[in-house]
Amino acid sequence: MKARAQEKGIVFLKDIPTVREAYKSNKPYSNILSIWQGDITRLACDAIVNAANSQMLGCFLPMHLCIDNSIHTFAGIQLRAECCKQMNKLREKYGYEYEQPTSIPMITDGYNLPTKNIIHVVGPVINGKIGAKQKQELAYCYINSLNLCREKNLKSIAFCCISTGVFHFPNNKASQIAVEAVTNWLASDNYQMERIVFNVFKDEDRLLYEKLLS
């Protein structure tokens, strides 16, 4: 499986320009933040973020094109085994019906991916109008993931566009919340992150982040 990662081509942080380098931006933290469009499973960093479901066991729809399925596929079966082990421990503590709450991250090894770790977090699901609760939950997906980086002494992280796929959070609002949450965290926390990447797959998302950060 690691050979497949080599075939896809590993992308290192040194190959990804910061917002300052790419767009001549003078906005706060432009020397730390990056926008990168591509397959998050190719990134070599301390952690990538997986937009997980509340069962935390990966996507169960064969060939589904979600990021959860992609990460579990290329990380290998070891990842689902570790997620299952962690969830079983939580169910022993909280009961058989336990599911991972929204915005509470869980960290695993990266296994066959070039990243060292994977941070799995459940984003809010939108079934109608977006309320203050959903906006706060999405912000905490980013904040709590960064707090986990501090706890584990991780210096680089790549965020996917949490909740914007099958969870139906509007892309424009989600990007605004993501950038605000990350920059506010950097302003209020003394922990020194070396790089934070906003990983996008669609052109729409790349343009949204470029508008916010450049």
Side-chain angles (χ1 to χ4, degrees):
M1 188 66 75
K2 287 190 176 181
R4 293 186 67 182
Q6 294 284 349
E7 290 172 4
K8 290 170 68 177
I10 297 173
V11 178
F12 297 92
L13 293 179
K14 64 180 178 61
D15 301 317
I16 301 175
T18 64
V19 170
R20 181 173 296 177
E21 293 168 336
Y23 307 104
K24 311 303 180 186
S25 175
N26 289 317
K27 290 187 176 181
Y29 311 109
S30 58
N31 61 323
I32 296 173
L33 303 175
S34 293
I35 304 166
W36 185 74
Q37 185 173 12
D39 180 355
I40 200 169
T41 65
R42 296 176 59 200
L43 290 178
C45 51
D46 286 346
I48 62 171
V49 175
N50 177 29
N53 58 53
S54 60
Q55 292 181 311
M56 284 282 173
L57 297 176
C59 177
F60 287 96
L61 295 176
M63 308 300 292
H64 194 242
L65 298 178
C66 66
I67 192 168
D68 196 15
N69 200 17
S70 180
I71 286 174
H72 274 266
T73 296
F74 290 102
I77 58 173
Q78 304 98 316
L79 176 58
R80 184 164 286 181
E82 182 181 349
C83 288
C84 183
K85 183 178 179 180
Q86 289 199 39
M87 288 298 288
N88 284 339
K89 287 183 178 179
L90 290 166
R91 290 189 178 111
E92 288 176 6
K93 183 176 181 179
Y94 296 112
Y96 180 74
E97 300 297 326
Y98 175 86
E99 293 187 351
Q100 190 74 358
T102 303
S103 309
I104 305 301
M106 183 175 81
I107 190 167
T108 65
D109 190 85
Y111 293 103
N112 294 309
L113 297 182
T115 185
K116 296 176 183 177
N117 299 278
I118 304 166
I119 294 175
H120 309 261
V121 67
V122 183
V125 180
I126 305 301
N127 292 314
K129 186 178 180 180
I130 305 171
K133 181 175 183 287
Q134 288 85 4
K135 293 177 183 178
Q136 185 178 57
E137 286 175 338
L138 184 59
Y140 273 110
C141 288
Y142 292 88
I143 293 166
N144 291 340
S145 294
L146 289 167
N147 287 340
L148 188 56
C149 286
R150 179 179 7 91
E151 178 186 332
K152 300 294 184 180
N153 197 32
L154 307 179
K155 294 292 186 177
S156 59
I157 186 171
F159 285 104
C160 64
C161 299
I162 301 167
S163 279
T164 59
V166 296
F167 285 9
H168 303 299
F169 209 108
N171 300 59
N172 61 337
K173 180 57 67 175
S175 60
Q176 293 170 16
I177 291 170
V179 170
E180 183 177 354
V182 168
T183 53
N184 285 348
W185 186 90
L186 288 169
S188 62
D189 198 287
N190 292 326
Y191 186 70
Q192 298 297 313
M193 292 293 293
E194 294 176 359
R195 187 73 68 88
I196 299 173
V197 179
F198 292 107
N199 168 247
V200 300
F201 195 73
K202 298 178 181 178
D203 290 341
E204 173 190 1
D205 291 311
R206 176 178 53 80
L207 293 171
L208 287 169
Y209 279 95
E210 286 177 345
K211 184 177 179 179
L212 290 165
L213 292 170
S214 64

